[in-house]
């Protein structure tokens, strides 16, 4: 990421309201943020501050109440539902705390299935190596540990070469060794470009976490409070994922 690079995602005065009883809850409150290609961005803050809502807005799993969202130079508020679906399929990778794997398919088949739906996927074999699951490739999800299942979920998100990768508490349910394995896989994919060599098309990662140690691997840390940005920390020399401890 450089200051000369154009943002791949731009939110301006974004507002997201949810009905609550006789009133509303404002999850995003005039939220403004640029996200850059190749950036590893970590978002943190207390529960209910709007972190997951932010990911859902960027990934078009939800819509803004007001404000502006631009993705890769397009005003997303003006897209048709078909165009939004294509955006989610082509450009966005999702990783959740729950793995969302297909239990009847092996680890390899789970990844290959997503590759088959993608326009320009990476090799399934290559992604299996990236996440370190060569020995588990032919096992079913029920035969894998939580950390291994989450690495399959990471691989499924990466294999279609998304331009933006959204990870919502991807290590929260894992032990530290498994969590670090997942973070190392994510970091490796982002730092090496995930098959997108040109700077302006490199995959950006937005990772939501409660864990302050994970913020050490970020290029920038966005701290949220009450639907707003309370602080942004830029880190010129982020730590490697395999060096952090908690």
């Amino acid at each position: 990421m450089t200051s000369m690079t154009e943002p791949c995602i731009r939110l301006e005065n974004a507002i997201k309201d949810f009905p609550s009883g006789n009133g509303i809850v404002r999850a995003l409150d005039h939220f403004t943020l640029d996200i850059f290609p190749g950036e590893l961005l970590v978002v943190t803050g207390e529960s209910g501050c709007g972190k997951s809502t932010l990911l859902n807005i960027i990934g078009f799993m939800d819509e803004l109440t007001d404000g502006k969202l631009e993705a890769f130079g397009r005003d997303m508020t003006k897209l048709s539902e078909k165009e939004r679906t294509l955006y989610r399929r082509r450009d966005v990778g999702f990783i959740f705390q729950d793995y969302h794997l297909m239990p009847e398919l092996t680890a390899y088949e789970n990844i290959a299935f997503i590759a088959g739906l993608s326009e320009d996927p990476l090799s399934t074999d290559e992604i299996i190596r990236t996440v370190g699951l060569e020995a588990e490739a032919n096992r079913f999800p029920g035969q894998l540990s939580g950390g291994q299942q989450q690495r399959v979920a990471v691989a499924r998100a990466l294999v279609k070469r998304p331009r933006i990768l959204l990870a919502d508490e991807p290590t929260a349910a894992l032990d530290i060794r498994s969590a670090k394995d997942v973070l190392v896989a994510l970091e490796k994919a982002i730092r090496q470009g995930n098959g997108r060599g040109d700077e302006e098309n490199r995959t950006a990662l937005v990772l939501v976490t409660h864990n302050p140690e994970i913020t050490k691997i970020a290029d920038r840390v966005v701290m949220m409070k009450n639907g707003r940005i309370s602080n942004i920390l830029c880190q010129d020399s982020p730590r490697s994922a395999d060096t952090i401890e908690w």
Side-chain angles (χ1 to χ4, degrees), residues 190-202:
I190 298 305
R191 299 304 186 201
Q192 293 184 355
N194 195 24
R196 295 185 180 276
D198 50 323
E199 183 69 25
E200 64 184 22
N201 284 316
R202 290 183 63 192

Side-chain angles (χ1 to χ4, degrees), residues 68 77-78 101 105 110 130 159 162 171 175 221:
K68 188 173 183 179
T77 61
K78 297 181 180 179
L101 303 181
L105 300 182
N110 262 280
T130 296
V159 74
T171 63
D175 62 84
V221 182

